[in-house]
Amino acid sequence: MEIVFSPIGYVKTEAVGDQVKDDAVISQIVLMPELVEGLEGLAQFSHIFVLFHLNQVAKDSTMPLKIHPKRRTDLPLTGIFATRTMMRPNPIGLTIVEILKVEGNVLTVRGLDAFDGTPVLDIKPYDPWEAPQNAHAPVWWRKLYET
């Protein structure tokens, strides 16, 4: 089965390399002009989910199914679906970002961890009432953010 998506827009950012991982990075999502009407009401939300194609990740036929998160050997060898690695069978990125401004077909956002030119597949409003009250992560996950 083949699944085909068409981008709804693309990312504009000056961030390069590891800078894109900085939560303070300001970027723009430039939507296709014919979709601008679909943005009506979006500015009333503080945050959105952004789904994007990880188009700059090299496709590797020998992609491992287990990795050390962020290549840290002090953390357990873990299945890729239990990590946020970019190396995935389907290179799809997902990030929650803060909306700073919506002007025409351009959304200015904070915290988008995508490179300049990255194709955007979809945006959806973030609903804080859907956040699970009992969410948790393993101890090794918290270690990722301690250093």
Side-chain angles (χ1 to χ4, degrees):
M1 174 193 315
E2 183 179 31
I3 300 172
V4 178
F5 289 101
S6 296
I8 63 167
Y10 62 92
V11 174
K12 267 182 73 173
T13 183
E14 294 181 9
V16 294
D18 283 345
Q19 292 174 338
V20 299
K21 297 177 185 176
D22 184 345
D23 290 342
V25 165
I26 308 294
S27 303
Q28 293 180 320
I29 299 170
V30 180
L31 228 57
M32 301 301 177
E34 63 270 19
L35 300 175
V36 71
E37 192 176 323
L39 293 174
E40 188 170 330
L42 190 66
Q44 297 173 37
F45 288 87
S46 64
H47 292 75
I48 55 173
F49 289 102
V50 182
L51 289 127
F52 50 95
H53 175 64
L54 298 168
N55 65 319
Q56 296 187 30
V57 174
K59 194 77 166 160
D60 185 355
S61 60
T62 62
M63 178 183 60
L65 292 177
K66 287 187 171 184
I67 62 167
H68 290 283
K70 296 196 179 190
R71 298 186 185 110
R72 286 184 43 183
T73 56
D74 62 317
L75 300 177
L77 194 60
T78 306
I80 61 168
F81 298 121
T83 73
R84 299 291 301 259
T85 181
M86 294 186 300
M87 302 304 292
R88 314 188 76 74
N90 290 312
I92 297 171
L94 169 68
T95 302
I96 297 174
V97 301
E98 179 183 6
I99 300 172
L100 301 177
K101 186 173 21 174
V102 178
E103 288 182 315
N105 66 322
V106 178
L107 286 80
T108 303
V109 299
R110 181 186 344 262
L112 181 56
D113 58 345
F115 296 106
D116 191 56
T118 296
V120 175
L121 301 175
D122 202 1
I123 56 176
K124 297 178 185 291
Y126 173 75
D127 179 352
W129 291 276
E130 291 179 356
Q133 297 298 315
N134 58 350
H136 66 276
V139 172
W140 65 261
W141 187 274
R142 290 190 289 273
K143 286 182 181 181
L144 287 171
Y145 301 99
E146 290 174 358
T147 58

